[in-house]
Amino acid sequence: QVQLVESGGGSVQAGGSLRLSCATSGDIFTIYCMKWYRQAPGKEREFVSAISTDGTTSYADSVKGRFTVSRDNAKNTLYLQMNTLKPEDTAMYYCGAGRWCRITTNTYWGQGTQVTVSS
């Protein structure tokens, strides 16, 4: 059973930074694509970023150049460094592990961490 626990969310002003972490239950980076999704109130969950088993990264256009996904294999931890945050980045952020990076089915999810960006 894959367990994912996000942390690092909070409230910041526009232009600020946060780093999200996702602690995993074991050595799963060679098995699953690790991904970040977010969901704002009243909106569908949307793709933010992912890092595949071979280390290839991908980003939504809305965060490209501002967010960086990375992983620490020794710590079994996934990260999302978020810089130059905007109010539209406000959402619940979820860490996921699944076979495909941009498909939400057959994915293990964490409980989420809230990010709030004020203008």
Side-chain angles (χ1 to χ4, degrees), residues 32-53:
Y32 299 110
C33 174
M34 300 301 299
K35 46 200 169 182
W36 291 99
Y37 274 67
R38 66 187 181 187
Q39 188 167 19
K43 295 188 177 181
E44 293 187 353
R45 191 172 294 193
E46 65 174 2
F47 173 80
V48 176
S49 181
I51 182 166
S52 64
T53 54

Side-chain angles (χ1 to χ4, degrees), residues 12-60:
V12 296
Q13 291 191 328
S17 298
L18 285 172
R19 187 176 80 156
L20 306 184
S21 299
C22 174
T24 72
S25 56
D27 182 13
I28 63 172
F29 294 158
T30 58
I31 301 172
Y32 299 110
C33 174
M34 300 301 299
K35 46 200 169 182
W36 291 99
Y37 274 67
R38 66 187 181 187
Q39 188 167 19
K43 295 188 177 181
E44 293 187 353
R45 191 172 294 193
E46 65 174 2
F47 173 80
V48 176
S49 181
I51 182 166
S52 64
T53 54
D54 67 1
T56 301
T57 58
S58 57
Y59 299 92

Side-chain angles (χ1 to χ4, degrees), residues 56-69:
T56 301
T57 58
S58 57
Y59 299 92
D61 288 343
S62 59
V63 307
K64 201 170 294 184
R66 300 188 296 121
F67 291 11
T68 302
V69 63

